[in-house]
Amino acid sequence: MNPMVKAEGVCKRFGRLEVLKGIDLEVQPGEVMCIIGPSGSGKSTFLRCINHLEKVDAGRLSVDGELVGYQQRGDKLYELKENEVAHKRREIGMVFQRFNLFPHMTALENVIEAPVQVKGESKAQARARGAELLDQVGLADKAKNYPRQLSGGQQQRVAIARALAMQPKLMLFDEPTSALDPELVGDVLAVMRQLAKDGMTMVVVTHEMEFAREVADSVVFMDGGVVVEAGKPEDVIRSPEHERTKAFLSRVLRKD
Amino acid sequence: MSLSTEERRPEPVKAVPVRHVGRWIGGAIVLALAALAVRSIIVNPNFHWELVGPYLFDTRIANGLVTTLLLTVGSMAIGIIGGIVLAIMRLSPNPVLSGAAGVYIWLFRGTPLITQLIFWANLGALYPTFGLGIPFGPEFVTWQTTATITVPVAALLGLGLNEAAYMAEIVRAGISSVDEGQNEAAGALGMTRGKTLRRIVLPQAMRVIIPPTGNQVISMLKTTSLVVVIGYTELTVVAQQIYAQNYKVIPLLVVTAIWYLVCTSVLTVFQGFIERKFSQSTIQTTGWASRMFGFRFGGGKDRQ
């Protein structure tokens, strides 16, 4: 079986600033990987490369055996057309730090927008499934509410339902709880925990060490655009080998 | 501090409110001036109110009004569609498209509307004929410019193409006002650029686009009178023609003013309806009376 995500020497540069300096990692199907590290370490950028929101400058990045954003024919790489990129993104769900719900649509409309507009599902079918998904994230009674009428935690759970509506094979979470009030974090993490239990492949950029320790199959510590340390959560978080990991964890864990 | 079972209700605040003497004096002065103005309008015989009624529904005036409305609707339609196209071109990553839109906006905003109107009316002097064919090759169909670009067509082209330049900037500002995260979220769901624009970005941009567009429509209603320079007649020009014959200048100006105010009022209320439709999910808008005149009834609740 192909790894769900495979990165080999992935580099990314914004102007003169080198954000990723050769990332190598693999995510297996069904695996939950948490990426931790200080801000500015490139972890969000790497996540955004996986669904081609950012273009990779060097190295190879593939999802489920297929290159991201390019196609190889012979020994030449061809850039994918816009609609081909869009087509591939259908299978990768993404949850953003700032939720990015569509403010002019109700919660249910947010959830059914892509299935109807992108996949061409019938509205009735999409509605039924959308209601199910909202129920799954504990928001069955908020279907008709607009995003501004929901709390941050509720908005983020709608955003998760919206991503799941496309039936993705991979879910990317970009600091999904960083913009939330502390008392709302738990509800979102509970939904993600259930998702992991159901066997979804997930890559999660997070500062929630407790969640990483408990839910992740593997933890990757990034700093300065490179993977410093990777392995089982108990190894990386409990007994880190590298000085940088130790320093970071001692700063983060002191808060707990 | 002890907590007793018998709760002590705090006493409600009883205080003498601040007296706004200045407000009362100001209000009285304004009311007095308003009364004077209204009185003079009613009493002054030079207004010839007895003529206003009949001319209000004069057929010539009615025809002029219809032309004004048709020109407004037609040129705004050209302006809005052209503006959307130009705005999308302006924001395109293609430098040729973006540059072309930039030059168009520069040219049409940078020259007087009167010049443009006269230019379109005299297009025949520049290009006596125009046709469809292969560039640098044979032409299949040819038209006489003067026969095709008649005065009404020139008026519509002049007003509409000029308006498109202004609308382009309004639409561009609207599109730019939508958070970049919306594009990313739609893209991550597999939506294409075009679909994202139609379904996600433009509906949100409308909130920013509609108020200045309402302004443009109301402004266009009156700008249409410029077509007099190419010999076309609408409401204002008709009124001028009538008072040139009978010297009843003031009553005819009052008649046109009444019609312009009626149209503007209808448009203002209509704009309110559209605004409410697009802001359903974000903010509550105010009622029609406050929209039109800025009155705040019931103590003026602040918008959130």
Side-chain angles (χ1 to χ4, degrees):
Chain A
M1 200 163 24
N2 282 320
M4 188 56 83
V5 180
K6 185 172 182 181
E8 296 164 283
V10 169
C11 294
K12 174 69 192 174
R13 174 182 305 123
F14 293 117
R16 243 187 261 163
L17 182 70
E18 225 181 343
V19 185
L20 299 177
K21 301 171 185 165
I23 302 289
D24 298 288
L25 56 79
E26 272 187 25
V27 184
Q28 301 305 326
E31 181 180 341
V32 176
M33 175 183 280
C34 283
I35 303 179
I36 59 174
S39 51
S41 59
K43 49 196 197 310
S44 284
T45 304
F46 175 69
L47 198 73
R48 292 159 60 82
C49 286
I50 297 178
N51 69 352
H52 208 49
L53 281 179
E54 305 289 353
K55 247 186 209 173
V56 169
D57 290 326
R60 289 293 174 100
L61 182 59
S62 56
V63 171
D64 204 11
E66 288 180 40
L67 276 182
V68 174
Y70 303 92
Q71 193 180 29
Q72 182 146 25
R73 272 177 267 156
D75 53 356
K76 254 193 181 164
L77 275 187
Y78 294 87
E79 214 176 320
L80 290 185
K81 277 184 246 160
E82 191 219 324
N83 56 346
E84 293 170 321
V85 172
H87 199 270
K88 288 206 168 171
R89 282 184 181 149
R90 293 176 180 197
E91 303 179 315
I92 306 172
M94 183 147 187
V95 174
F96 299 87
Q97 183 179 353
R98 302 280 339 164
F99 329 132
N100 295 349
L101 287 181
F102 306 133
H104 58 304
M105 299 180 183
T106 63
L108 185 63
E109 285 167 353
N110 263 280
V111 175
I112 67 172
E113 176 68 9
V116 172
Q117 293 297 325
V118 178
K119 272 189 173 172
E121 275 181 33
S122 77
K123 268 207 170 158
Q125 193 191 343
R127 270 217 188 93
R129 240 189 77 71
E132 240 169 67
L133 283 165
L134 283 177
D135 189 36
Q136 195 182 317
V137 297
L139 294 171
D141 55 333
K142 302 286 183 194
K144 285 189 180 143
N145 288 56
Y146 285 97
R148 70 175 173 115
Q149 300 164 322
L150 301 174
S151 74
Q154 291 170 334
Q155 289 191 49
Q156 192 61 297
R157 284 183 280 154
V158 173
I160 294 175
R162 176 176 72 174
L164 291 176
M166 291 298 280
Q167 297 172 302
K169 54 187 180 189
L170 169 66
M171 284 283 285
L172 308 174
F173 293 85
D174 188 4
E175 303 200 27
T177 56
S178 298
L180 297 180
D181 290 338
E183 79 271 21
L184 302 174
V185 169
D187 292 335
V188 173
L189 291 182
V191 168
M192 291 169 63
R193 203 169 280 142
Q194 186 57 46
L195 207 53
K197 216 180 265 174
D198 295 342
M200 175 63 75
T201 313
M202 295 160 62
V203 181
V204 185
V205 170
T206 187
H207 291 295
E208 298 291 329
M209 291 306 142
E210 193 53 45
F211 175 82
R213 197 149 45 190
E214 197 189 321
V215 180
D217 299 302
S218 60
V219 170
V220 169
F221 173 70
M222 275 178 72
D223 192 11
V226 294
V227 172
V228 177
E229 197 164 346
K232 296 240 166 273
E234 53 269 28
D235 297 337
V236 178
I237 296 175
R238 284 268 160 73
S239 44
E241 281 174 19
H242 291 258
E243 281 309 314
R244 281 199 277 178
T245 321
K246 277 180 202 163
F248 172 74
L249 284 170
S250 73
R251 276 202 309 273
V252 178
L253 292 176
R254 209 178 328 159
K255 284 188 293 186
D256 292 356
Chain B
M1 206 168 76
S2 66
L3 286 167
S4 60
T5 42
E6 246 174 81
E7 231 176 85
R8 273 185 44 205
R9 297 290 285 289
E11 216 173 287
V13 174
K14 277 182 209 148
V16 181
V18 177
R19 307 273 181 226
H20 295 286
V21 182
R23 282 190 203 171
W24 283 101
I25 295 175
I29 292 173
V30 169
L31 280 179
L33 288 176
L36 273 178
V38 170
R39 198 188 89 98
S40 91
I41 288 171
I42 295 170
V43 173
N44 189 336
N46 295 332
F47 271 101
H48 287 292
W49 286 100
E50 72 283 356
L51 291 178
V52 169
Y55 275 121
L56 202 55
F57 299 104
D58 187 285
T59 18
R60 287 168 293 175
I61 293 284
N63 286 336
L65 178 64
V66 168
T67 311
T68 293
L69 290 176
L70 286 179
L71 276 177
T72 305
V73 170
S75 55
M76 280 313 295
I78 297 174
I80 290 173
I81 294 169
I84 292 176
V85 172
L86 282 167
I88 292 171
M89 284 171 68
R90 193 89 186 88
L91 293 168
S92 152
N94 181 336
V96 177
L97 288 185
S98 149
V103 169
Y104 181 100
I105 294 167
W106 172 75
L107 189 64
F108 280 82
R109 282 203 310 183
T111 54
L113 177 55
I114 290 193
T115 312
Q116 292 172 32
L117 280 168
I118 298 172
F119 173 81
W120 291 112
N122 292 285
L123 196 63
L126 194 58
Y127 300 105
T129 63
F130 65 99
L132 267 182
I134 300 165
F136 310 111
E139 276 190 357
F140 306 127
V141 224
T142 311
W143 291 280
Q144 289 291 320
T145 305
T146 43
T148 318
I149 312 283
T150 55
V151 169
V153 175
L156 267 182
L157 275 180
L159 293 171
L161 295 181
N162 178 265
E163 184 60 27
Y166 287 91
M167 282 305 301
E169 289 295 278
I170 291 173
V171 175
R172 187 174 65 95
I175 292 177
S176 306
S177 76
V178 178
D179 182 35
E180 180 54 28
Q182 294 289 309
N183 274 316
E184 292 191 349
L189 286 166
M191 293 173 86
T192 53
R193 251 173 62 98
K195 196 155 259 180
T196 303
L197 191 68
R198 259 200 333 275
R199 298 278 314 169
I200 308 299
V201 175
L202 277 181
Q204 292 182 60
M206 288 308 261
R207 224 159 41 81
V208 177
I209 293 173
I210 289 167
T213 304
N215 251 354
Q216 294 298 105
V217 179
I218 286 168
S219 163
M220 180 60 83
L221 191 69
K222 292 157 291 177
T223 307
T224 49
S225 55
L226 279 186
V227 296
V228 68
V229 297
I230 56 173
Y232 201 34
T233 52
E234 48 66 77
L235 186 54
T236 300
V237 182
V238 167
Q240 279 177 331
Q241 287 168 350
I242 298 174
Y243 69 61
Q245 287 169 1
N246 64 9
Y247 302 111
K248 307 290 183 204
V249 179
I250 297 297
L252 278 154
L253 287 185
V254 170
V255 165
T256 57
I258 289 175
W259 277 121
Y260 280 123
L261 282 171
V262 166
C263 295
T264 306
S265 308
V266 171
L267 285 171
T268 308
V269 173
F270 184 62
Q271 181 189 340
F273 277 122
I274 304 183
E275 261 175 52
R276 224 159 308 158
K277 182 173 153 17
F278 279 101
S279 62
Q280 235 177 7
S281 53
T282 42
I283 44 162
Q284 303 294 319
T285 44
T286 43
W288 67 270
S290 65
R291 278 205 56 76
M292 204 179 308
F293 306 116
F295 287 156
R296 288 174 304 166
F297 297 117
K301 268 180 279 171
D302 280 334
R303 282 222 254 177
Q304 287 209 348

